[in-house]
Amino acid sequence: MLWCGWGDPAKARELPEQIRTLLHDLLGVRAPDTPAATMDEVRLPPVALPERVLAALVAATGPEHVLTSREARLRHTRGKSTPDLLRMRAGDGSDAPDAVVLPGSHDEVAELLRVCAAERVAVVPFGGGTSVVGGLVAARAGFTGVIALDLGRLDRLRSVDAESMVADFEPGVRAPEAERLLAAHGLTLGHFPQSFEYATLGGFAAARSSGQASAGYGRFDDMVVGLTLATPSGTLELGRAPKSAAGPDLRQLVLGSEGAFGVITSLRLRVRRQPAERRYEGWRFESFRAGTAAVRALAQEGPPPTVLRLSDETETMIGLARPDAIGGGDSGCLVILGVEGDWIGHRHAAAATVLSRHGGEPLGPEPGQAWEHGRFSAPYLRDSLLGAGATVETLETAGFWSNLPRLYDAVRLALLGALGSPLVMCHVSHVYETGASLYFTVVTPQKGDPVQQWERAKEAVNAAIVEAGGTISHHHGVGRDHRDAYAAELGPLGVGVLQAVKDRLDPAGILNPGVLVPQSPGGI
């Protein structure tokens, strides 16, 4: 992963001159006054951990698995949100951990948590480093230091139960490797979020991830049938059966907890047979309203497709559904439809009937294939735009169908009010019988301090989402960026429940302090 951007450095690319000209003419984007900092120019604080603490960490995992080098600390600094990258490009490495520790087993994780609780060392569980909501920045105040607990050594497929269609993984397995390992058994998870190339299974669970094929395969939390959680107070083993009436399902308490309650050390996941065929295509609708009615009907009437995405007029015009060919969009609104697996002809015909009935115009396979080819490349485009002087960020929410127009308007108005005349694009990214998610992309010229510029806009949007009755996050998570709005969404009693769970599992408050759990008057 590129230390100051997204993904494979070999895939980074400069913006074509015509796109730079378009950005300048349309939005007033100008190249930054100063170049981005090099790795050697990033300012890192000195290691704060006392020698006795470092020695205890080494005793738990071995000397080769406790890293304090400049590069290791820098590569585990923050996540991949636009503010994260802007700070790194400005040479600000102030949130770097003091050490990176790589445990090799559940027992080593448990021992590290014991040591860190005793020494008051904050622990940030680290998977692929792809958080875009400030989920990898621990609060330092009141702690001896901070470590990044890198789970990359916990990278095995431990077993496959083909009869039950369950696979047992360690949390550090990256998504492409999980698919490769399962393919040897003729299986797939079917989980393909935009972070697919770098994110880990443990990260998917901790952030309650949702993939681009969620219409067919479900969200990641739908796939988790069991897990093991290491906490400073002991170990939780959850999931004796697919479903149970034995009280509340504590698996759901762990899913989405973002490392604030414990460290996931194993996952039992529902898997599916590898599909024999996949088919992606495009459909055109006259308006976002007409397209929304069509995808709602398809979600409610079924059979559900595997992929169902609807871009609004602006996103369709810009061509953001095809990041590799940005600027080549069309009029109207684009729907990407994907079907796969058994009975593909029947499922496609049923979906086509519903879309046609609502005024959809079939565009053939080319738009769908173009989307499939570029489905993981949008973050590279974001980095190129940052380098050209544009602030580019994404945000998402979800709501019931009846409230979706209000939510869509509220977010757009908040962004326009906070940023002046930004380019705001949106698509429906995940659909359910009762509602859908809205995924926004914002492009605006960098002005003054671009981090503060975006933070003001983000605060306004968070408030608008809460006021309009949406959820503060559909699949990115809470982190630090959404924590206060999450508190407003939960209400005081809900916040108290979260704090009570935190206090019971993590009495010393060392696990990802400042993330997820709203601050109480006495601290985290």
Side-chain angles (χ1 to χ4, degrees):
M1 179 79 87
L2 184 64
W3 67 273
C4 60
W6 181 266
D8 181 355
K11 295 182 181 179
R13 62 187 189 273
E14 290 292 322
L15 282 180
E17 187 58 36
Q18 62 267 30
I19 300 300
R20 291 178 178 270
T21 301
L22 177 65
L23 288 169
H24 179 270
D25 294 346
L26 181 65
L27 298 174
V29 172
R30 300 179 182 276
D33 294 331
T34 57
T38 65
M39 184 181 284
D40 291 338
E41 292 171 338
V42 176
R43 303 175 298 277
L44 294 185
V47 174
L49 292 174
E51 285 299 324
R52 73 174 189 283
V53 175
L54 288 170
L57 299 176
V58 167
T61 62
E64 68 273 28
H65 303 308
V66 178
L67 311 177
T68 56
S69 69
R70 175 182 176 83
E71 181 172 350
R73 296 175 64 208
L74 187 149
R75 289 188 180 278
H76 290 77
T77 301
R78 308 188 188 98
K80 297 299 181 182
S81 71
T82 290
D84 289 341
L85 300 187
L86 287 170
R87 289 186 174 99
M88 197 63 83
R89 293 171 68 89
D92 176 7
S94 58
D95 294 315
D98 296 300
V100 179
V101 186
L102 295 93
S105 68
H106 170 87
D107 289 345
E108 288 188 3
V109 172
E111 175 61 14
L112 287 168
L113 295 183
R114 185 196 67 78
V115 169
C116 290
E119 297 287 351
R120 287 203 56 75
V121 175
V123 178
V124 179
F126 194 98
T130 61
S131 171
V132 292
V133 291
L136 299 175
V137 180
R140 277 186 172 268
F143 294 96
T144 305
V146 177
I147 68 166
L149 191 72
D150 190 318
L151 298 165
R153 291 177 63 211
L154 295 173
D155 61 354
R156 296 180 300 151
L157 169 61
R158 303 203 306 184
S159 66
V160 173
D161 179 351
E163 183 176 2
S164 303
M165 296 292 282
V166 171
D168 189 339
F169 281 98
E170 291 181 328
V173 180
R174 295 188 187 274
E177 179 66 4
E179 287 297 323
R180 187 190 69 80
L181 292 168
L182 289 173
H185 299 270
L187 302 171
T188 181
L189 274 174
H191 191 69
F192 302 103
Q194 196 168 79
S195 61
F196 171 80
E197 295 172 303
Y198 296 95
T200 62
L201 302 185
F204 290 154
R208 206 180 281 274
S209 173
S210 191
Q212 294 168 344
S214 66
Y217 288 95
R219 295 162 53 95
F220 197 79
D221 46 332
D222 298 325
M223 303 175 187
V224 179
V225 297
L227 58 84
T228 304
L229 186 76
T231 82
S233 296
T235 296
L236 277 175
E237 290 280 0
L238 301 173
R240 287 173 172 252
K243 299 291 182 182
S244 170
D249 189 348
L250 294 186
R251 288 173 294 193
Q252 296 302 319
L253 188 65
V254 175
L255 297 170
S257 61
E258 301 183 27
F261 296 160
V263 179
I264 296 169
T265 57
S266 74
L267 287 161
R268 275 81 72 195
L269 302 176
R270 180 210 71 201
V271 294
R272 297 275 175 82
R273 301 292 179 197
Q274 279 272 9
E277 183 182 356
R278 292 183 172 95
R279 185 186 304 178
Y280 301 102
E281 64 185 28
W283 286 72
R284 180 186 178 277
F285 286 84
E286 286 291 335
S287 66
F288 193 52
R289 180 176 180 179
T292 300
V295 297
R296 175 176 63 84
L298 188 51
Q300 292 175 341
E301 296 174 24
T306 306
V307 173
L308 188 60
R309 298 164 61 88
L310 165 68
S311 295
D312 71 0
E313 290 88 348
T314 306
E315 185 170 290
T316 300
M317 177 186 67
I318 297 297
L320 196 61
R322 315 178 196 185
D324 288 345
I326 197 75
D330 301 307
S331 62
C333 291
L334 176 67
V335 164
I336 299 297
L337 174 72
V339 291
E340 59 185 61
D342 297 334
W343 305 98
I344 192 169
H346 168 73
R347 294 176 67 197
H348 175 265
T353 297
V354 173
L355 296 180
S356 296
R357 191 174 75 235
H358 283 81
E361 173 191 349
L363 302 177
E366 193 278 330
Q369 292 169 355
W371 170 81
E372 182 186 18
H373 177 72
R375 65 194 298 188
F376 304 129
S377 60
Y380 292 100
L381 175 63
R382 185 267 307 263
D383 289 358
S384 300
L385 289 166
L386 287 177
T391 293
V392 186
E393 187 57 297
T394 61
L395 57 95
E396 40 79 42
T397 181
F400 296 109
W401 289 113
S402 59
N403 194 44
L404 220 58
R406 177 189 177 203
L407 191 55
Y408 175 79
D409 290 341
V411 172
R412 286 177 53 82
L413 288 172
L415 289 168
L416 292 170
L419 295 172
S421 300
L423 180 64
V424 181
M425 299 167 277
C426 180
H427 64 264
V428 172
S429 59
H430 306 272
V431 299
Y432 309 95
E433 292 183 31
T434 54
S437 67
L438 295 173
Y439 190 103
F440 293 86
T441 302
V442 189
V443 185
T444 192
Q446 294 177 15
K447 295 180 180 178
D449 182 337
V451 173
Q452 292 183 4
Q453 176 192 22
W454 175 250
E455 286 179 343
R456 288 192 295 269
K458 182 70 171 176
E459 183 178 1
V461 169
N462 287 354
I465 288 173
V466 173
E467 175 65 24
T471 181
I472 196 58
S473 177
H474 172 263
H475 57 269
H476 282 169
V478 175
R480 297 171 69 91
D481 297 354
H482 295 152
R483 187 186 61 194
D484 293 343
Y486 181 46
E489 182 175 326
L490 281 180
L493 183 58
V495 169
V497 171
L498 272 189
Q499 290 172 335
V501 173
K502 175 77 169 174
D503 291 344
R504 179 64 184 89
L505 297 178
D506 179 24
I510 62 165
L511 286 167
N512 232 358
V515 170
L516 180 71
V517 182
Q519 286 184 299
S520 63
I524 296 297

